[in-house]
Amino acid sequence: IGEFGQEPTSTAGQRLGAPDTLGISTLEPGHKPPTMPSGRHIAIRVRMLDDSEEIFDVSQRASGKVLFEMVCAHLNLVEGDYFGLEFQDQRKMMVWLDLLKPIMKQIRRPKHTVLRFVVKFFPPDHAQLMEELTRYLFALQIRQDLASGRLTCTDSSAALLVSHIIQSEVGDFEEAQCRQHLLNNNYIPDQMALMDKIMEFHHKHVGQTPAESDYQLLEVARRLEMYGIRLHPAKDREGTKLSLAVAHTGVLVFQGHTRINAFNWSKIRKLSFKRKRFLIKLRPDLNSAYQDTLEFVMASRDCCKVFWKICVEYHAFFRLFEEPKPKPKPVLFSRGSSFRFSGRTQKQVIDYVKDTEFKKLPFYSLSVSLVNGHRRGDELNGASPSPDGQQPSPLTSPLLNDSSGLLTDLETDGASYQYVLDKEESTPESLQNLLKSSFEPLHSYHLDFLKELEQRLALWEGRSNAHIKGDYQRIGDVMLKNTQGLKALTAQLQKHSECVSELEKACRASRRLENVCRDFELQKVCYVPLNVFILRPLHRLLHYKQILERLCKHYPATHPDFRDCRAALADVSELEALLHSSMLKTDNYQRLLELQKDLIGVDNLATPTREFIRLGCLSKLSGKGLQQRMFFLFSDVLLYTSRGITSSNQFKVHGQLPLRGMTIRESEEEWGVPHCFTLVTQRQSVVVAASSVSEMEKWMEDLKMAVDLAEDSNGPSASLLTNSNDVKSPGEWASEVESEDDLGGSRTSLERHGNSSAHHRGNTTVHVCWHRNTSVSMLDFSIATENQLSGNLLRKFKNSNGWQKLWVVFTNFSLFFYKTHQDEYPLASLPLLGYSVTVPAESENIHKDYVFKLHFKSHIYYFRSESEYSFERWMEVIRSATISSSRTRYLNRKEPY
């Protein structure tokens, strides 16, 4: 690849390392693609999402399904049901290839027709897409929609989307390269005007892999109003020009690119068309004696039928549990269309991918020196090739540094549940049995795994009496053996969510047990909440997966370890996919339980239907001016609170704003307050201001997303506020003012580690956000769960000369400092939210290699790692905590670091 030249194009399969041989796609395990009918064959051209064209040889008598399955097999695509083949028919209309009908009855001139393989069904959350290849293809679709102007959005959103595309294509930001790339490639209309904004965003994505960039591109796109929208022109009864569209929620009405109405599937009784009229029959309203029928006029009957068909398919795909059965053919006369949805529903697709025995292939980069701007294999590890030309070992690199951090907290994991079990008089017998059956096998398994790893490393490094080291300089066999052992413990891993919920129920029923758990959390060994330790074995799956992915990227395919690591990765990926949904729900439930402890004046926060979305600081405008408030955004309600001077350091709830019916608008000009926006509900309006433009955009987009969630939910939102007399009124509440030195950032506060309840609850993420005037989302918590690391670092304060060697653990947005890795509890901690991470400037006179700098206002710390690889890993994981993400604008990063 030239320095600024055009990169060579590659197919989707090549990008992800798909094999040349055809694979099974959307078929059940063990089945073969549909049998090709006999007869004369024709060549069908299909244009893929990467703009490459493939020719498929099919029988003239073949159905659309045969061709579609051939395309999916060519791509090695398992989740092909989200996609479809569209083409322009003889009426010059874009239509979908019907899978049930013969191809030749649909395509009259196959030699002159090019079918387009595109996304057909856009799910509300790309986390429902189980395979990385599927997400990559969705990212290509977003790129096409942006370039064509179909996906309209604000300039800021457009710039952010393009920045993720560039990060995926060229890698980390270099100004000259980025600018030249934007001059050579056009991603959006009027791109030149946004070039500086695109580069500003691109600068914030350092370290993102192409897969991560694809994921974040989808996270931003899916929250845009025009995401996945295909407009069908129409008019209402008064002749007003409108457009109709269909989404997973139902039928939408647009005026221009603004949505003006939406009809949820639950409210629609029937969709039909009569000549040029498209009819929506709504279910009877409770307050009305008649049922309403809405009528829209389209250009022709064919236009009506095309839109009606895609509505039928969208409804079936997203709302039904299984493919609808064909209607029996009438004996004499037929009335109406016989069209029906053909294929698996979304539920069937998700269940299939979870349950199938099909081993998913791990994804690899192209074997060139630079892959999408990122270094490959040995260069990425920070190690040079060995003198004999062979690849260096991953332990020399050291690729397995991460594993030490995964396993050295086993004692704390075991102590967490053992502490509860030891209090037999406080713990119900059923809970004791549940904890024992779940954790004892897992604890024993991990102890054996750790022992085996330590033995292998000792042999590898020559710290044993082994005379021949060569046979022991492997790690894949150890990983494969233990990942297979972990699969045998699936039943125990599946009980973790039950453990958290049953422990919570028992604590509610027993004040004594509640005190036992609280006392454990006050011990120095419990540096994160108890439930986090309970969920650690689940989260460790994500860490094993990351390590194995790095090992697979590190080893060439000919290395003896490659096959074992690849098989181990397939095992872990399969297990992680099986537990993914349960893990997300349990993490959300655990987060709600923790937030409940930080709030005064709220009851029953942790309910099965409530999702946590974002928490953070906003300034609320009132008669007294701007006042700092802590806001908590959930899927059904927005709470606002203030922090008072209390022994428990909790936040007092001042009020709640229901999300159903809420509107959000920017109001900086209206009030003359920077980064200001207004929340309007049926009963009140609240004006708030964020600390920066990026914070305002994250809050506004997450709020809009939450409002949509609330609109889609069933039933009224229950009030969360208590009527307790011991909750002060807003007028009685005094705001607390703290100096910057009290924020856990100075050397004094960094090194203190108190043991009081007030200090314990005063050091949570909520309080850090309050002091640092920032916010975090549930996605931030998810990223923090994945990006955990531990190892030796040398630390230096700003005004000191010496370096102190410490064992450092990064978890839960914080660095925890130990004297050695054998210590039971940390000496101190440093919350990183709001910090920036950079490398020191020459003027700072840090004449050492592999040094990074943490900086927040006047607080500066330097850390030195042992190798280039270790330095890059620390920078990568710390950025995940210091640069806040957004659930809606997944990487609308904070200020430049």
Side-chain angles (χ1 to χ4, degrees):
I1 301 173
E3 184 178 2
F4 301 125
Q6 183 74 28
E7 292 82 5
T9 59
S10 60
T11 67
Q14 290 172 335
R15 151 77 186 270
L16 294 169
D20 293 333
T21 56
L22 296 181
I24 301 301
S25 58
T26 59
L27 303 174
E28 295 303 316
H31 287 196
K32 297 180 180 180
T35 303
M36 183 71 69
S38 59
R40 183 181 172 187
H41 282 218
I42 56 173
I44 301 290
R45 283 193 299 160
V46 178
R47 181 171 299 148
M48 303 298 181
L49 280 163
D50 60 359
D51 287 332
S52 64
E53 285 192 6
E54 300 291 339
I55 297 178
F56 295 89
D57 190 49
V58 298
S59 167
Q60 285 185 332
R61 298 166 56 189
S63 67
K65 186 177 181 65
V66 172
L67 174 61
F68 183 71
E69 290 292 348
M70 291 176 68
V71 175
C72 291
H74 171 76
L75 294 173
N76 203 40
L77 179 61
V78 176
E79 298 172 293
D81 304 77
Y82 289 99
F83 301 84
L85 293 168
E86 66 174 2
F87 63 97
Q88 190 178 61
D89 66 6
Q90 69 275 11
R91 302 161 298 182
K92 304 298 183 183
M93 296 178 61
M94 294 303 297
V95 297
W96 294 102
L97 184 71
D98 191 324
L99 300 186
L100 298 180
K101 290 184 177 180
I103 296 173
M104 290 305 294
K105 286 191 176 182
Q106 303 178 69
I107 304 175
R108 301 295 173 84
R109 303 175 66 193
K111 289 184 178 180
H112 304 281
T113 302
V114 178
L115 285 80
R116 296 172 63 240
F117 180 81
V118 294
V119 176
K120 187 174 185 178
F121 301 110
F122 290 82
D125 185 357
H126 59 277
Q128 296 171 340
L129 306 175
M130 309 296 285
E131 299 248 321
E132 183 182 323
L133 172 58
T134 315
R135 292 192 292 271
Y136 170 63
L137 295 175
F138 266 72
L140 291 179
Q141 183 69 67
I142 297 304
R143 176 171 169 172
Q144 283 191 5
D145 290 352
L146 269 177
S148 66
R150 177 182 273 175
L151 180 58
T152 58
C153 55
T154 64
D155 287 350
S156 181
S157 295
L160 181 60
L161 289 165
V162 174
S163 71
H164 286 308
I165 294 173
I166 296 175
Q167 177 70 21
S168 176
E169 291 187 343
V170 304
D172 291 343
F173 176 80
E174 292 180 9
E175 184 174 356
Q177 182 187 21
C178 180
R179 188 178 298 278
Q180 189 63 43
H181 188 82
L182 287 170
L183 292 173
N184 293 343
N185 300 273
N186 196 53
Y187 298 102
I188 51 174
D190 198 23
Q191 180 172 287
M192 291 298 294
L194 296 178
M195 185 176 290
D196 291 340
K197 189 70 173 177
I198 295 170
M199 294 174 65
E200 178 187 343
F201 280 127
H202 185 200
H203 179 68
K204 301 176 185 180
H205 303 335
V206 175
Q208 282 181 201
T209 65
E212 290 168 341
S213 297
D214 291 344
Y215 187 93
Q216 294 162 7
L217 175 74
L218 294 175
E219 187 63 33
V220 178
R222 74 187 181 100
R223 299 305 179 194
L224 300 175
E225 191 164 67
M226 295 302 293
Y227 170 69
I229 296 299
R230 303 296 184 253
L231 298 177
H232 296 254
K235 294 180 182 180
D236 61 13
R237 288 179 174 177
E238 286 73 37
T240 305
K241 289 185 178 180
L242 304 169
S243 293
L244 299 180
V246 63
H248 70 282
T249 55
V251 179
L252 313 177
V253 183
F254 285 81
Q255 194 162 36
H257 289 93
T258 302
R259 191 176 76 179
I260 61 173
N261 212 337
F263 303 102
N264 195 283
W265 294 124
S266 61
K267 298 178 181 178
I268 297 175
R269 191 175 72 86
K270 183 179 180 182
L271 293 175
S272 61
F273 63 96
K274 185 178 293 185
R275 297 186 179 89
K276 296 196 300 183
R277 293 181 296 141
F278 186 81
L279 306 174
I280 304 176
K281 286 190 176 182
L282 302 178
R283 297 187 184 278
D285 192 283
L286 296 177
N287 301 318
S288 175
Y290 63 92
Q291 62 185 39
D292 197 5
T293 299
L294 302 173
E295 182 179 305
F296 298 90
V297 179
M298 306 187 84
S300 66
R301 180 186 182 277
D302 290 335
C303 292
C304 281
K305 187 171 184 179
V306 167
F307 183 60
W308 174 78
K309 280 186 173 182
I310 190 61
C311 288
V312 169
E313 292 184 305
Y314 252 81
H315 177 268
F317 184 76
F318 287 108
R319 298 280 289 186
L320 301 185
F321 286 164
E322 59 185 21
E323 178 182 355
K325 295 180 173 60
K327 298 177 182 179
K329 292 184 178 181
V331 178
L332 294 176
F333 304 104
S334 63
R335 184 184 179 193
S337 174
S338 61
F339 175 79
R340 66 179 177 89
F341 170 73
S342 173
R344 294 181 301 192
T345 65
Q346 186 189 35
K347 183 181 184 303
Q348 288 177 310
V349 176
I350 293 174
D351 290 345
Y352 167 75
V353 178
K354 287 181 179 178
D355 299 340
T356 182
E357 293 299 320
F358 171 68
K359 296 280 187 179
K360 291 176 286 186
L361 291 173
F363 300 117
Y364 308 101
S365 300
L366 297 173
S367 56
V368 292
S369 297
L370 288 175
V371 182
N372 293 327
H374 294 276
R375 292 183 177 185
R376 60 176 270 266
D378 52 310
E379 296 170 302
L380 183 63
N381 301 333
S384 58
S386 57
D388 58 1
Q390 297 179 351
Q391 294 289 329
S393 77
L395 302 182
T396 308
S397 299
L399 262 172
L400 277 183
N401 259 13
D402 304 37
S403 66
S404 57
L406 302 177
L407 298 172
T408 51
D409 57 0
L410 288 176
E411 278 66 29
T412 310
D413 285 8
S416 61
Y417 79 87
Q418 193 62 49
Y419 186 88
V420 177
L421 293 177
D422 288 345
K423 309 295 182 179
E424 292 184 3
E425 71 283 358
S426 305
T427 309
E429 184 177 356
S430 60
L431 179 59
Q432 291 187 43
N433 294 335
L434 177 63
L435 292 175
K436 284 181 180 179
S437 63
S438 302
F439 286 94
E440 286 184 355
L442 285 165
H443 191 238
S444 298
Y445 159 82
H446 278 102
L447 288 175
D448 292 339
F449 188 8
L450 175 59
K451 182 179 179 180
E452 191 169 358
L453 272 177
E454 289 176 336
Q455 290 174 346
R456 178 57 59 88
L457 292 179
L459 292 170
W460 188 309
E461 297 170 358
R463 290 185 278 114
S464 72
N465 295 324
H467 299 290
I468 302 175
K469 296 195 303 178
D471 291 339
Y472 297 106
Q473 289 196 339
R474 294 182 58 191
I475 201 67
D477 57 333
V478 176
M479 301 299 290
L480 178 58
K481 172 188 172 183
N482 285 279
T483 53
Q484 290 173 342
L486 190 59
K487 287 181 67 177
L489 296 171
T490 301
Q492 283 75 15
L493 290 168
Q494 289 175 324
K495 291 181 181 178
H496 279 54
S497 59
E498 184 182 359
C499 290
V500 173
S501 60
E502 290 302 314
L503 179 59
E504 173 63 17
K505 290 178 184 177
C507 286
R508 289 185 180 182
S510 169
R511 179 63 61 87
R512 180 184 294 182
L513 180 59
E514 184 181 21
N515 291 335
V516 167
C517 294
R518 188 190 65 230
D519 291 342
F520 176 75
E521 288 193 329
L522 293 177
Q523 295 186 26
K524 292 181 179 180
V525 70
C526 189
Y527 57 92
V528 294
L530 172 61
N531 281 335
V532 173
F533 285 120
I534 291 178
L535 296 176
R536 271 284 166 80
L538 268 181
H539 295 157
R540 200 167 281 126
L541 288 174
L542 304 174
H543 307 154
Y544 292 156
K545 184 178 177 181
Q546 287 184 347
I547 289 174
L548 287 164
E549 284 173 343
R550 291 192 185 95
L551 285 167
C552 287
K553 290 179 182 178
H554 168 79
Y555 284 126
T558 55
H559 194 281
D561 257 355
F562 177 82
R563 180 175 297 178
D564 287 342
C565 289
R566 177 173 169 172
L569 177 58
D571 286 337
V572 172
S573 299
E574 180 181 341
L575 187 54
E576 189 264 341
L578 175 67
L579 299 170
H580 180 74
S581 178
S582 173
M583 196 184 305
L584 291 179
K585 291 178 182 178
T586 308
D587 284 348
N588 178 70
Y589 180 66
Q590 183 269 333
R591 181 57 45 202
L592 294 175
L593 292 177
E594 284 304 305
L595 292 178
Q596 178 82 61
K597 299 175 184 178
D598 283 313
L599 298 173
I600 295 176
V602 167
D603 270 344
N604 200 28
L605 184 66
T607 62
T609 58
R610 179 170 292 121
E611 291 183 42
F612 163 69
I613 297 175
R614 176 172 292 279
L615 65 86
C617 264
L618 293 170
S619 296
K620 182 175 177 290
L621 186 62
S622 67
K624 298 179 181 179
L626 289 171
Q627 296 180 312
Q628 185 178 359
R629 293 287 182 262
M630 196 72 182
F631 282 72
F632 298 82
L633 176 60
F634 304 98
S635 55
D636 60 339
V637 69
L638 176 67
L639 302 179
Y640 56 96
T641 70
S642 67
R643 183 170 182 258
I645 304 176
T646 66
S647 59
S648 61
N649 276 312
Q650 291 171 294
F651 285 81
K652 160 71 165 53
V653 177
H654 286 271
Q656 64 175 0
L657 299 175
L659 297 182
R660 192 170 296 169
M662 176 186 285
T663 59
I664 303 105
R665 69 171 188 271
E666 289 189 41
S667 49
E668 183 171 336
E669 295 182 0
E670 180 180 353
W671 296 99
V673 177
H675 323 311
C676 174
F677 57 100
T678 302
L679 311 174
V680 182
T681 67
Q682 292 180 349
R683 296 185 177 181
Q684 66 183 121
S685 297
V686 175
V687 182
V688 294
S691 59
S692 65
V693 174
S694 62
E695 279 289 303
M696 178 187 73
E697 291 176 342
K698 284 184 288 186
W699 272 107
M700 289 187 66
E701 293 195 5
D702 278 0
L703 279 162
K704 290 176 181 177
M705 177 270 297
V707 169
D708 289 341
L709 287 177
E711 295 290 350
D712 293 341
S713 64
N714 297 321
S717 300
S719 176
L720 287 174
L721 301 187
T722 64
N723 295 318
S724 176
N725 293 327
D726 61 354
V727 178
K728 297 184 178 69
S729 65
E732 296 174 294
W733 202 261
S735 61
E736 180 177 5
V737 179
E738 296 193 16
S739 67
E740 189 61 47
D741 290 336
D742 292 330
L743 305 188
S746 67
R747 179 173 181 176
T748 304
S749 59
L750 170 68
E751 303 239 335
R752 73 184 180 204
H753 201 88
N755 198 34
S756 67
S757 175
H759 173 78
H760 176 76
R761 294 254 43 102
N763 199 34
T764 64
T765 303
V766 177
H767 290 79
V768 175
C769 286
W770 172 266
H771 293 311
R772 306 275 168 83
N773 197 18
T774 187
S775 68
V776 293
S777 67
M778 188 61 189
L779 203 55
D780 289 318
F781 285 105
S782 298
I783 294 171
T785 299
E786 294 179 10
N787 291 321
Q788 299 189 15
L789 188 64
S790 61
N792 286 311
L793 286 175
L794 296 168
R795 183 186 65 182
K796 178 184 177 302
F797 295 106
K798 179 180 179 182
N799 297 319
S800 66
N801 294 322
W803 294 84
Q804 180 186 12
K805 188 173 183 178
L806 297 167
W807 180 260
V808 183
V809 175
F810 171 79
T811 186
N812 203 37
F813 306 107
S814 299
L815 293 177
F816 295 89
F817 303 99
Y818 298 74
K819 191 172 182 180
T820 71
H821 74 276
Q822 297 173 326
D823 290 356
E824 292 183 352
Y825 55 85
L827 301 169
S829 63
L830 175 63
L832 295 181
L833 289 173
Y835 268 78
S836 62
V837 56
T838 59
V839 293
E842 289 186 6
S843 59
E844 294 175 88
N845 296 318
I846 305 294
H847 304 298
K848 301 288 184 181
D849 293 330
Y850 315 131
V851 175
F852 60 90
K853 167 185 167 184
L854 291 175
H855 178 214
F856 175 73
K857 295 187 177 179
S858 61
H859 308 293
I860 296 176
Y861 304 93
Y862 300 99
F863 293 92
R864 180 153 57 99
S865 57
E866 300 171 326
S867 66
E868 182 180 356
Y869 174 77
S870 177
F871 166 80
E872 291 176 353
R873 285 288 293 132
W874 279 107
M875 291 282 284
E876 176 187 353
V877 298
I878 289 175
R879 282 195 181 103
S880 71
T882 58
I883 308 170
S884 176
S885 303
S886 165
R887 180 170 178 177
T888 56
R889 188 182 292 266
Y890 177 53
L891 202 63
N892 187 0
R893 300 292 197 183
K894 289 177 65 64
E895 304 307 318
Y897 41 85

